Amino acid sequence: YEVDEAKLRAFFSDSKILNVRLPLDERGRFRGFGQVDFENRESLINALEKNETKFFNRPIKIQLESQYKQQRTGGGSGGFNRG
């Protein structure tokens, strides 16, 4: 994956971002998912509208943290997942 914070901020340029977290593996490579916190509801809605659109030629899955927790092991953080 070729994702970094700057690319995510550009992708969500129509939204106000508070924070971006991109977990890395033991080799320092992007693990394929992350979390973006938005400043307000309007920014969050703009981001959710981009669900399943292309991000670097792959579909990006955007979901609320509560949805992400339910689909994983019942805990953890939420955000987005690159297909």
Side-chain angles (χ1 to χ4, degrees):
Y1 300 108
E2 300 172 3
V3 176
D4 60 27
E5 184 171 342
K7 290 175 183 174
L8 271 175
R9 286 185 180 274
F11 182 75
F12 293 117
S13 63
D14 59 342
S15 298
K16 295 179 181 179
I17 295 174
L18 289 175
N19 190 33
V20 175
R21 287 181 288 288
L22 300 171
L24 304 176
D25 66 14
E26 60 280 348
R27 296 182 193 166
R29 295 180 303 186
F30 176 58
R31 292 179 57 195
F33 64 92
Q35 182 171 342
V36 179
D37 298 322
F38 297 95
E39 189 173 308
N40 54 46
R41 182 177 178 83
E42 181 180 341
S43 293
L44 173 61
I45 291 169
N46 288 340
L48 289 170
E49 289 174 352
K50 294 183 178 193
N51 187 42
E52 298 295 332
T53 60
K54 295 286 182 173
F55 181 60
F56 288 87
N57 296 318
R58 292 178 180 233
I60 187 170
K61 185 171 186 173
I62 302 168
Q63 46 192 179
L64 298 173
E65 183 176 12
S66 59
Q67 293 171 321
Y68 182 81
K69 284 180 180 179
Q70 288 175 356
Q71 290 180 359
R72 301 293 279 184
T73 61
S77 63
F80 68 91
N81 186 353
R82 288 205 39 220

